[in-house]
Amino acid sequence: MNDSNMSDNIETYLKQILQQAHEIEIRRVELAQRFNVVPSQINYVIKTRFNTENGYLVESKRGGGGYIRIVKMALRNEPRLIEEIKQQLPKIVSFRTATSVVSSLCREQILTVHESELILTLLSKETLSVGDVTVQGQLRARLLQQLLSRLRFESERN
């Protein structure tokens, strides 16, 4: 089985557990043994698939009693979590990162599927094509920042 499929399997396993509990605490070494992979593979999955832009908070403690805690953020009722996503956004945002953020907002029913598609159209490479990839990423970051600010404001009013 290739690494991509194994990463998908690890992600699926963790998400199944998260469906039953709002947060999970795992030991990296034990999870690596379960899937017969090196611990760095677990780190890769956590870093790329369970990050703030995907709607998760991750906390880790290293050492003998170390663990990784993954918390599924409830964006809908928590304006501070929208602010957390906003704070985590880099100054230059790729379309892939933008898609992750917008997908999380849609999954949490903060945005409708239609709204998400419209926003992603506005954040696309084609729309923001200004001849400079860095400027394109900066524009995308500013647009996402504004969207998150507005959503945060709306969630505080509700």
PDB file of all heavy atoms in Angstrom, residues 107-136:
ATOM      1  N   ARG A 107     -18.534  22.480   5.921  1.00  0.00           N
ATOM      2  CA  ARG A 107     -18.794  21.272   6.708  1.00  0.00           C
ATOM      3  C   ARG A 107     -19.477  21.619   8.027  1.00  0.00           C
ATOM      4  O   ARG A 107     -20.333  20.886   8.505  1.00  0.00           O
ATOM      5  CB  ARG A 107     -17.464  20.546   6.945  1.00  0.00           C
ATOM      6  CG  ARG A 107     -17.567  19.156   7.430  1.00  0.00           C
ATOM      7  CD  ARG A 107     -16.233  18.407   7.466  1.00  0.00           C
ATOM      8  NE  ARG A 107     -15.088  19.177   7.914  1.00  0.00           N
ATOM      9  CZ  ARG A 107     -14.109  19.634   7.106  1.00  0.00           C
ATOM     10  NH1 ARG A 107     -14.153  19.409   5.812  1.00  0.00           N
ATOM     11  NH2 ARG A 107     -13.098  20.329   7.604  1.00  0.00           N
ATOM     12  N   GLU A 108     -19.121  22.759   8.603  1.00  0.00           N
ATOM     13  CA  GLU A 108     -19.719  23.199   9.864  1.00  0.00           C
ATOM     14  C   GLU A 108     -21.019  23.974   9.650  1.00  0.00           C
ATOM     15  O   GLU A 108     -21.574  24.524  10.589  1.00  0.00           O
ATOM     16  CB  GLU A 108     -18.722  24.061  10.646  1.00  0.00           C
ATOM     17  CG  GLU A 108     -17.527  23.300  11.146  1.00  0.00           C
ATOM     18  CD  GLU A 108     -17.886  22.223  12.149  1.00  0.00           C
ATOM     19  OE1 GLU A 108     -18.786  22.446  12.977  1.00  0.00           O
ATOM     20  OE2 GLU A 108     -17.256  21.150  12.102  1.00  0.00           O
ATOM     21  N   GLN A 109     -21.476  24.048   8.419  1.00  0.00           N
ATOM     22  CA  GLN A 109     -22.725  24.704   8.031  1.00  0.00           C
ATOM     23  C   GLN A 109     -22.735  26.192   8.345  1.00  0.00           C
ATOM     24  O   GLN A 109     -23.772  26.786   8.597  1.00  0.00           O
ATOM     25  CB  GLN A 109     -23.923  23.992   8.655  1.00  0.00           C
ATOM     26  CG  GLN A 109     -24.016  22.560   8.204  1.00  0.00           C
ATOM     27  CD  GLN A 109     -25.151  21.800   8.847  1.00  0.00           C
ATOM     28  OE1 GLN A 109     -25.674  22.173   9.888  1.00  0.00           O
ATOM     29  NE2 GLN A 109     -25.545  20.710   8.206  1.00  0.00           N
ATOM     30  N   ILE A 110     -21.550  26.790   8.322  1.00  0.00           N
ATOM     31  CA  ILE A 110     -21.441  28.232   8.439  1.00  0.00           C
ATOM     32  C   ILE A 110     -21.676  28.845   7.064  1.00  0.00           C
ATOM     33  O   ILE A 110     -22.240  29.919   6.940  1.00  0.00           O
ATOM     34  CB  ILE A 110     -20.065  28.626   9.016  1.00  0.00           C
ATOM     35  CG1 ILE A 110     -19.986  28.133  10.459  1.00  0.00           C
ATOM     36  CG2 ILE A 110     -19.820  30.122   8.919  1.00  0.00           C
ATOM     37  CD1 ILE A 110     -18.612  28.235  11.067  1.00  0.00           C
ATOM     38  N   LEU A 111     -21.225  28.136   6.044  1.00  0.00           N
ATOM     39  CA  LEU A 111     -21.487  28.508   4.658  1.00  0.00           C
ATOM     40  C   LEU A 111     -22.272  27.386   3.992  1.00  0.00           C
ATOM     41  O   LEU A 111     -22.088  26.212   4.349  1.00  0.00           O
ATOM     42  CB  LEU A 111     -20.167  28.682   3.888  1.00  0.00           C
ATOM     43  CG  LEU A 111     -19.218  29.784   4.324  1.00  0.00           C
ATOM     44  CD1 LEU A 111     -17.911  29.684   3.542  1.00  0.00           C
ATOM     45  CD2 LEU A 111     -19.853  31.152   4.130  1.00  0.00           C
ATOM     46  N   THR A 112     -23.102  27.743   3.035  1.00  0.00           N
ATOM     47  CA  THR A 112     -23.789  26.722   2.242  1.00  0.00           C
ATOM     48  C   THR A 112     -22.828  26.218   1.172  1.00  0.00           C
ATOM     49  O   THR A 112     -21.791  26.848   0.900  1.00  0.00           O
ATOM     50  CB  THR A 112     -25.048  27.291   1.562  1.00  0.00           C
ATOM     51  OG1 THR A 112     -24.630  28.268   0.601  1.00  0.00           O
ATOM     52  CG2 THR A 112     -26.019  27.902   2.566  1.00  0.00           C
ATOM     53  N   VAL A 113     -23.170  25.114   0.546  1.00  0.00           N
ATOM     54  CA  VAL A 113     -22.354  24.591  -0.541  1.00  0.00           C
ATOM     55  C   VAL A 113     -22.262  25.633  -1.660  1.00  0.00           C
ATOM     56  O   VAL A 113     -21.176  25.892  -2.194  1.00  0.00           O
ATOM     57  CB  VAL A 113     -22.937  23.256  -1.076  1.00  0.00           C
ATOM     58  CG1 VAL A 113     -22.221  22.806  -2.334  1.00  0.00           C
ATOM     59  CG2 VAL A 113     -22.882  22.186   0.008  1.00  0.00           C
ATOM     60  N   HIS A 114     -23.373  26.249  -1.970  1.00  0.00           N
ATOM     61  CA  HIS A 114     -23.396  27.263  -3.038  1.00  0.00           C
ATOM     62  C   HIS A 114     -22.493  28.453  -2.688  1.00  0.00           C
ATOM     63  O   HIS A 114     -21.706  28.914  -3.516  1.00  0.00           O
ATOM     64  CB  HIS A 114     -24.835  27.725  -3.291  1.00  0.00           C
ATOM     65  CG  HIS A 114     -24.954  28.723  -4.388  1.00  0.00           C
ATOM     66  ND1 HIS A 114     -24.720  28.407  -5.714  1.00  0.00           N
ATOM     67  CD2 HIS A 114     -25.255  30.045  -4.361  1.00  0.00           C
ATOM     68  CE1 HIS A 114     -24.872  29.491  -6.456  1.00  0.00           C
ATOM     69  NE2 HIS A 114     -25.204  30.503  -5.653  1.00  0.00           N
ATOM     70  N   GLU A 115     -22.588  28.932  -1.462  1.00  0.00           N
ATOM     71  CA  GLU A 115     -21.730  30.042  -1.026  1.00  0.00           C
ATOM     72  C   GLU A 115     -20.254  29.650  -1.100  1.00  0.00           C
ATOM     73  O   GLU A 115     -19.412  30.441  -1.547  1.00  0.00           O
ATOM     74  CB  GLU A 115     -22.069  30.456   0.412  1.00  0.00           C
ATOM     75  CG  GLU A 115     -23.406  31.147   0.548  1.00  0.00           C
ATOM     76  CD  GLU A 115     -23.866  31.284   1.990  1.00  0.00           C
ATOM     77  OE1 GLU A 115     -23.429  30.489   2.862  1.00  0.00           O
ATOM     78  OE2 GLU A 115     -24.677  32.197   2.250  1.00  0.00           O
ATOM     79  N   SER A 116     -19.955  28.428  -0.692  1.00  0.00           N
ATOM     80  CA  SER A 116     -18.578  27.934  -0.737  1.00  0.00           C
ATOM     81  C   SER A 116     -18.036  27.915  -2.157  1.00  0.00           C
ATOM     82  O   SER A 116     -16.909  28.339  -2.416  1.00  0.00           O
ATOM     83  CB  SER A 116     -18.480  26.529  -0.143  1.00  0.00           C
ATOM     84  OG  SER A 116     -18.854  26.541   1.198  1.00  0.00           O
ATOM     85  N   GLU A 117     -18.857  27.431  -3.075  1.00  0.00           N
ATOM     86  CA  GLU A 117     -18.437  27.383  -4.480  1.00  0.00           C
ATOM     87  C   GLU A 117     -18.197  28.780  -5.038  1.00  0.00           C
ATOM     88  O   GLU A 117     -17.225  29.012  -5.762  1.00  0.00           O
ATOM     89  CB  GLU A 117     -19.481  26.638  -5.311  1.00  0.00           C
ATOM     90  CG  GLU A 117     -19.535  25.156  -5.014  1.00  0.00           C
ATOM     91  CD  GLU A 117     -20.731  24.437  -5.629  1.00  0.00           C
ATOM     92  OE1 GLU A 117     -21.639  25.113  -6.178  1.00  0.00           O
ATOM     93  OE2 GLU A 117     -20.757  23.203  -5.544  1.00  0.00           O
ATOM     94  N   LEU A 118     -19.068  29.710  -4.681  1.00  0.00           N
ATOM     95  CA  LEU A 118     -18.893  31.093  -5.144  1.00  0.00           C
ATOM     96  C   LEU A 118     -17.606  31.696  -4.572  1.00  0.00           C
ATOM     97  O   LEU A 118     -16.835  32.348  -5.295  1.00  0.00           O
ATOM     98  CB  LEU A 118     -20.092  31.953  -4.744  1.00  0.00           C
ATOM     99  CG  LEU A 118     -21.409  31.664  -5.465  1.00  0.00           C
ATOM    100  CD1 LEU A 118     -22.545  32.476  -4.845  1.00  0.00           C
ATOM    101  CD2 LEU A 118     -21.281  31.968  -6.951  1.00  0.00           C
ATOM    102  N   ILE A 119     -17.375  31.496  -3.301  1.00  0.00           N
ATOM    103  CA  ILE A 119     -16.172  32.037  -2.659  1.00  0.00           C
ATOM    104  C   ILE A 119     -14.922  31.434  -3.281  1.00  0.00           C
ATOM    105  O   ILE A 119     -13.955  32.147  -3.582  1.00  0.00           O
ATOM    106  CB  ILE A 119     -16.219  31.802  -1.135  1.00  0.00           C
ATOM    107  CG1 ILE A 119     -17.309  32.695  -0.518  1.00  0.00           C
ATOM    108  CG2 ILE A 119     -14.860  32.065  -0.489  1.00  0.00           C
ATOM    109  CD1 ILE A 119     -17.684  32.324   0.898  1.00  0.00           C
ATOM    110  N   LEU A 120     -14.931  30.119  -3.515  1.00  0.00           N
ATOM    111  CA  LEU A 120     -13.764  29.483  -4.118  1.00  0.00           C
ATOM    112  C   LEU A 120     -13.528  29.980  -5.542  1.00  0.00           C
ATOM    113  O   LEU A 120     -12.383  30.089  -5.979  1.00  0.00           O
ATOM    114  CB  LEU A 120     -13.893  27.961  -4.077  1.00  0.00           C
ATOM    115  CG  LEU A 120     -13.723  27.364  -2.679  1.00  0.00           C
ATOM    116  CD1 LEU A 120     -14.003  25.873  -2.685  1.00  0.00           C
ATOM    117  CD2 LEU A 120     -12.335  27.662  -2.121  1.00  0.00           C
ATOM    118  N   THR A 121     -14.593  30.317  -6.243  1.00  0.00           N
ATOM    119  CA  THR A 121     -14.433  30.912  -7.574  1.00  0.00           C
ATOM    120  C   THR A 121     -13.715  32.251  -7.460  1.00  0.00           C
ATOM    121  O   THR A 121     -12.813  32.564  -8.244  1.00  0.00           O
ATOM    122  CB  THR A 121     -15.807  31.098  -8.263  1.00  0.00           C
ATOM    123  OG1 THR A 121     -16.403  29.812  -8.431  1.00  0.00           O
ATOM    124  CG2 THR A 121     -15.666  31.776  -9.608  1.00  0.00           C
ATOM    125  N   LEU A 122     -14.096  33.039  -6.476  1.00  0.00           N
ATOM    126  CA  LEU A 122     -13.459  34.347  -6.274  1.00  0.00           C
ATOM    127  C   LEU A 122     -12.005  34.219  -5.810  1.00  0.00           C
ATOM    128  O   LEU A 122     -11.194  35.108  -6.063  1.00  0.00           O
ATOM    129  CB  LEU A 122     -14.258  35.178  -5.275  1.00  0.00           C
ATOM    130  CG  LEU A 122     -15.654  35.583  -5.737  1.00  0.00           C
ATOM    131  CD1 LEU A 122     -16.410  36.270  -4.607  1.00  0.00           C
ATOM    132  CD2 LEU A 122     -15.564  36.487  -6.952  1.00  0.00           C
ATOM    133  N   LEU A 123     -11.678  33.130  -5.127  1.00  0.00           N
ATOM    134  CA  LEU A 123     -10.320  32.926  -4.618  1.00  0.00           C
ATOM    135  C   LEU A 123      -9.439  32.120  -5.569  1.00  0.00           C
ATOM    136  O   LEU A 123      -8.265  31.886  -5.270  1.00  0.00           O
ATOM    137  CB  LEU A 123     -10.382  32.219  -3.260  1.00  0.00           C
ATOM    138  CG  LEU A 123     -11.086  32.962  -2.128  1.00  0.00           C
ATOM    139  CD1 LEU A 123     -11.185  32.079  -0.891  1.00  0.00           C
ATOM    140  CD2 LEU A 123     -10.380  34.267  -1.812  1.00  0.00           C
ATOM    141  N   SER A 124      -9.976  31.724  -6.705  1.00  0.00           N
ATOM    142  CA  SER A 124      -9.265  30.846  -7.629  1.00  0.00           C
ATOM    143  C   SER A 124      -8.060  31.531  -8.274  1.00  0.00           C
ATOM    144  O   SER A 124      -7.954  32.754  -8.318  1.00  0.00           O
ATOM    145  CB  SER A 124     -10.209  30.358  -8.729  1.00  0.00           C
ATOM    146  OG  SER A 124     -10.498  31.419  -9.626  1.00  0.00           O
ATOM    147  N   LYS A 125      -7.171  30.705  -8.789  1.00  0.00           N
ATOM    148  CA  LYS A 125      -5.975  31.204  -9.483  1.00  0.00           C
ATOM    149  C   LYS A 125      -6.374  32.040 -10.698  1.00  0.00           C
ATOM    150  O   LYS A 125      -5.750  33.056 -10.985  1.00  0.00           O
ATOM    151  CB  LYS A 125      -5.103  30.025  -9.911  1.00  0.00           C
ATOM    152  CG  LYS A 125      -4.518  29.259  -8.763  1.00  0.00           C
ATOM    153  CD  LYS A 125      -3.796  28.011  -9.227  1.00  0.00           C
ATOM    154  CE  LYS A 125      -3.343  27.193  -8.030  1.00  0.00           C
ATOM    155  NZ  LYS A 125      -2.762  25.929  -8.419  1.00  0.00           N
ATOM    156  N   GLU A 126      -7.407  31.594 -11.382  1.00  0.00           N
ATOM    157  CA  GLU A 126      -7.848  32.302 -12.591  1.00  0.00           C
ATOM    158  C   GLU A 126      -8.374  33.697 -12.248  1.00  0.00           C
ATOM    159  O   GLU A 126      -8.055  34.670 -12.923  1.00  0.00           O
ATOM    160  CB  GLU A 126      -8.932  31.502 -13.322  1.00  0.00           C
ATOM    161  CG  GLU A 126      -8.472  30.160 -13.870  1.00  0.00           C
ATOM    162  CD  GLU A 126      -8.370  29.062 -12.798  1.00  0.00           C
ATOM    163  OE1 GLU A 126      -8.962  29.196 -11.716  1.00  0.00           O
ATOM    164  OE2 GLU A 126      -7.661  28.080 -13.068  1.00  0.00           O
ATOM    165  N   THR A 127      -9.173  33.785 -11.204  1.00  0.00           N
ATOM    166  CA  THR A 127      -9.753  35.072 -10.817  1.00  0.00           C
ATOM    167  C   THR A 127      -8.686  36.033 -10.322  1.00  0.00           C
ATOM    168  O   THR A 127      -8.709  37.223 -10.661  1.00  0.00           O
ATOM    169  CB  THR A 127     -10.818  34.877  -9.714  1.00  0.00           C
ATOM    170  OG1 THR A 127     -11.816  33.989 -10.191  1.00  0.00           O
ATOM    171  CG2 THR A 127     -11.454  36.195  -9.327  1.00  0.00           C
ATOM    172  N   LEU A 128      -7.762  35.538  -9.527  1.00  0.00           N
ATOM    173  CA  LEU A 128      -6.752  36.398  -8.917  1.00  0.00           C
ATOM    174  C   LEU A 128      -5.463  36.495  -9.747  1.00  0.00           C
ATOM    175  O   LEU A 128      -4.448  36.963  -9.247  1.00  0.00           O
ATOM    176  CB  LEU A 128      -6.425  35.908  -7.506  1.00  0.00           C
ATOM    177  CG  LEU A 128      -7.579  35.936  -6.514  1.00  0.00           C
ATOM    178  CD1 LEU A 128      -7.151  35.388  -5.162  1.00  0.00           C
ATOM    179  CD2 LEU A 128      -8.139  37.342  -6.375  1.00  0.00           C
ATOM    180  N   SER A 129      -5.528  36.074 -10.986  1.00  0.00           N
ATOM    181  CA  SER A 129      -4.353  36.107 -11.844  1.00  0.00           C
ATOM    182  C   SER A 129      -3.915  37.553 -12.105  1.00  0.00           C
ATOM    183  O   SER A 129      -4.573  38.304 -12.815  1.00  0.00           O
ATOM    184  CB  SER A 129      -4.669  35.416 -13.180  1.00  0.00           C
ATOM    185  OG  SER A 129      -3.544  35.467 -14.014  1.00  0.00           O
ATOM    186  N   VAL A 130      -2.812  37.930 -11.463  1.00  0.00           N
ATOM    187  CA  VAL A 130      -2.280  39.283 -11.606  1.00  0.00           C
ATOM    188  C   VAL A 130      -0.850  39.256 -12.146  1.00  0.00           C
ATOM    189  O   VAL A 130      -0.181  40.289 -12.173  1.00  0.00           O
ATOM    190  CB  VAL A 130      -2.322  40.054 -10.255  1.00  0.00           C
ATOM    191  CG1 VAL A 130      -3.743  40.347  -9.844  1.00  0.00           C
ATOM    192  CG2 VAL A 130      -1.571  39.308  -9.179  1.00  0.00           C
ATOM    193  N   GLY A 131      -0.401  38.072 -12.549  1.00  0.00           N
ATOM    194  CA  GLY A 131       0.928  37.941 -13.116  1.00  0.00           C
ATOM    195  C   GLY A 131       2.024  37.680 -12.089  1.00  0.00           C
ATOM    196  O   GLY A 131       3.174  37.501 -12.451  1.00  0.00           O
ATOM    197  N   ASP A 132       1.669  37.660 -10.816  1.00  0.00           N
ATOM    198  CA  ASP A 132       2.650  37.430  -9.754  1.00  0.00           C
ATOM    199  C   ASP A 132       2.009  36.514  -8.719  1.00  0.00           C
ATOM    200  O   ASP A 132       1.033  36.892  -8.058  1.00  0.00           O
ATOM    201  CB  ASP A 132       3.049  38.775  -9.134  1.00  0.00           C
ATOM    202  CG  ASP A 132       4.127  38.636  -8.063  1.00  0.00           C
ATOM    203  OD1 ASP A 132       4.248  37.566  -7.431  1.00  0.00           O
ATOM    204  OD2 ASP A 132       4.850  39.630  -7.854  1.00  0.00           O
ATOM    205  N   VAL A 133       2.575  35.326  -8.564  1.00  0.00           N
ATOM    206  CA  VAL A 133       2.002  34.321  -7.662  1.00  0.00           C
ATOM    207  C   VAL A 133       2.009  34.806  -6.212  1.00  0.00           C
ATOM    208  O   VAL A 133       1.075  34.533  -5.454  1.00  0.00           O
ATOM    209  CB  VAL A 133       2.765  32.973  -7.798  1.00  0.00           C
ATOM    210  CG1 VAL A 133       2.250  31.936  -6.823  1.00  0.00           C
ATOM    211  CG2 VAL A 133       2.657  32.455  -9.214  1.00  0.00           C
ATOM    212  N   THR A 134       3.033  35.539  -5.823  1.00  0.00           N
ATOM    213  CA  THR A 134       3.100  36.047  -4.450  1.00  0.00           C
ATOM    214  C   THR A 134       1.977  37.039  -4.186  1.00  0.00           C
ATOM    215  O   THR A 134       1.289  36.958  -3.157  1.00  0.00           O
ATOM    216  CB  THR A 134       4.473  36.706  -4.182  1.00  0.00           C
ATOM    217  OG1 THR A 134       5.491  35.725  -4.402  1.00  0.00           O
ATOM    218  CG2 THR A 134       4.569  37.227  -2.756  1.00  0.00           C
ATOM    219  N   VAL A 135       1.772  37.961  -5.108  1.00  0.00           N
ATOM    220  CA  VAL A 135       0.690  38.942  -4.953  1.00  0.00           C
ATOM    221  C   VAL A 135      -0.659  38.230  -4.946  1.00  0.00           C
ATOM    222  O   VAL A 135      -1.545  38.561  -4.158  1.00  0.00           O
ATOM    223  CB  VAL A 135       0.757  40.016  -6.062  1.00  0.00           C
ATOM    224  CG1 VAL A 135      -0.468  40.917  -6.032  1.00  0.00           C
ATOM    225  CG2 VAL A 135       2.035  40.838  -5.942  1.00  0.00           C
ATOM    226  N   GLN A 136      -0.794  37.224  -5.796  1.00  0.00           N
ATOM    227  CA  GLN A 136      -2.027  36.426  -5.841  1.00  0.00           C
ATOM    228  C   GLN A 136      -2.313  35.800  -4.471  1.00  0.00           C
ATOM    229  O   GLN A 136      -3.428  35.870  -3.970  1.00  0.00           O
ATOM    230  CB  GLN A 136      -1.847  35.329  -6.905  1.00  0.00           C
ATOM    231  CG  GLN A 136      -3.053  34.478  -7.162  1.00  0.00           C
ATOM    232  CD  GLN A 136      -2.717  33.408  -8.197  1.00  0.00           C
ATOM    233  OE1 GLN A 136      -2.060  32.420  -7.851  1.00  0.00           O
ATOM    234  NE2 GLN A 136      -3.145  33.615  -9.422  1.00  0.00           N
TER     235      GLN A 136
END
